[in-house]
Amino acid sequence: MPKNVFKTYNKFRAALLGAAFLFSACEIQESKPLGEINKNFADRTIVQAFLTYKDSGIVRMELQAPLVEEFTLIDSPYTVMRKGVDIKFWNKEPEPNYLRADWAKILDRKKFYEGRGNVEMINTDGDTLRTQQIFWDNQKRLIYTTDTVIIKRKNGTFNIANHGLTATEDFREFKLLDNSGIITLEEKSDRKTKSTTRQPSIPESERTEINPLLHSDSNP
C-alpha cells in the first residue's frame, strides 16, 4: 500500500474513533442528569449576633443570639437561631417588650416568628407569659400557641390556658382556650380572701416571685 494512501487511511480511522468516542460521551452525559441543585443550606452564619431592625429610621426590634443561620437562596428565605434568642421589641410605648426562647425561626418575608423551649415574654406592664412554644405574627402584632400557657400579672393574678391562646403581642388582650385563674383580693378584717374561677395546678416555679426578665437599659 502506498505511503500516502496509508496515511490517509489512518487519519480517516482516527476521525471515526474520535467521533464514536464523542457520541458515546454525549450519550453518557444525557443519561445521567445532575438533577435539581439543593439550595437549602445556610449561606450566611453570624456568631454572637446583635441585630437591630428599624422602620422609618426608628428602632423597632433588637435581636441578640449566640448563633444566627440565614437560608436566603431558597424561594422562602428563613433564619434559624438554634442556640437561643433574646429579643426586645417596641410598640407605641418608649419601654420595650421582651421575648426569650431556647430555639427560634423567622420566616423573613412574612416576618413570622416561632419560638420553642422555655419561651418567656414580658410586656411593658411587667406581666410575664410562659409556655413551651409560641408563634408571633409581627405584621399583625399577634401571638398564637396551642401549648399550655401561664400568665402572671404584676398584681399577682394568674391566667392559665391549658390548650393555648390567641393574643396581641403584648398579651394585654387575649383569648384563653380551656382557661382558669386565681385572683387575690385585698385583706379585709385581718383575713385574706381568695376567689377562684377554677382551681388550677400551678407549677412550683410559678409560685415564687417572678423577677423582671431584663431592665430596659440592659441588653437581652
Side-chain angles (χ1 to χ4, degrees):
M1 182 181 294
K3 290 183 179 182
N4 58 344
V5 175
F6 183 75
K7 289 180 180 180
T8 302
Y9 172 76
N10 283 342
K11 290 181 180 179
F12 179 71
R13 181 181 177 186
L16 286 177
L17 289 174
F21 177 77
L22 181 62
F23 180 75
S24 177
C26 290
E27 280 190 329
I28 293 173
Q29 185 177 5
E30 290 177 359
S31 63
K32 294 183 179 181
L34 294 176
E36 186 176 349
I37 299 175
N38 180 22
K39 296 181 180 180
N40 192 14
F41 60 90
D43 56 296
R44 184 185 181 197
T45 300
I46 307 173
V47 178
Q48 298 300 330
F50 184 83
L51 306 176
T52 300
Y53 298 89
K54 295 183 179 181
D55 183 10
S56 302
I58 301 174
V59 176
R60 296 297 184 187
M61 184 185 302
E62 290 180 352
L63 183 152
Q64 188 171 350
L67 178 66
V68 174
E69 296 171 293
E70 297 180 350
F71 298 73
T72 64
L73 300 178
I74 57 178
D75 293 335
S76 300
Y78 64 93
T79 302
V80 174
M81 291 144 285
R82 64 184 74 249
K83 293 187 177 181
V85 66
D86 292 272
I87 298 175
K88 286 182 181 180
F89 59 96
W90 284 262
N91 293 325
K92 296 180 180 179
E93 298 89 349
E95 299 298 322
N97 300 276
Y98 299 94
L99 184 150
R100 274 184 174 175
D102 293 341
W103 180 96
K105 180 179 180 180
I106 305 173
L107 301 181
D108 297 336
R109 292 177 182 172
K110 296 181 179 181
K111 294 183 180 180
F112 195 88
Y113 294 68
E114 178 186 0
R116 298 182 196 167
N118 298 311
V119 177
E120 189 172 50
M121 299 183 73
I122 294 182
N123 64 18
T124 55
D125 296 329
D127 304 328
T128 302
L129 178 152
R130 285 177 175 160
T131 185
Q132 289 300 312
Q133 185 179 37
I134 202 77
F135 297 96
W136 175 25
D137 189 333
N138 186 244
Q139 289 184 328
K140 295 182 179 179
R141 302 292 187 182
L142 297 174
I143 56 175
Y144 318 85
T145 184
T146 57
D147 202 85
T148 299
V149 176
I150 298 175
I151 299 176
K152 182 179 181 182
R153 300 297 176 181
K154 191 175 181 180
N155 62 5
T157 301
F158 282 88
N159 297 109
I160 301 173
N162 295 320
H163 298 291
L165 89 169
T166 61
T168 55
E169 62 184 5
D170 57 9
F171 51 96
R172 288 176 177 168
E173 300 177 16
F174 57 89
K175 179 181 179 181
L176 302 178
L177 306 178
D178 188 13
N179 60 300
S180 59
I182 292 180
I183 302 174
T184 302
L185 304 180
E186 296 180 357
E187 290 187 15
K188 292 183 179 180
S189 303
D190 298 326
R191 184 177 62 184
K192 289 185 178 180
T193 304
K194 181 179 288 186
S195 171
T196 63
T197 58
R198 175 181 163 193
Q199 184 63 42
S201 176
I202 302 175
E204 187 65 30
S205 61
E206 299 296 338
R207 299 175 189 269
T208 59
E209 184 67 23
I210 299 177
N211 295 323
L213 177 60
L214 287 171
H215 296 291
S216 60
D217 57 352
S218 62
N219 290 330

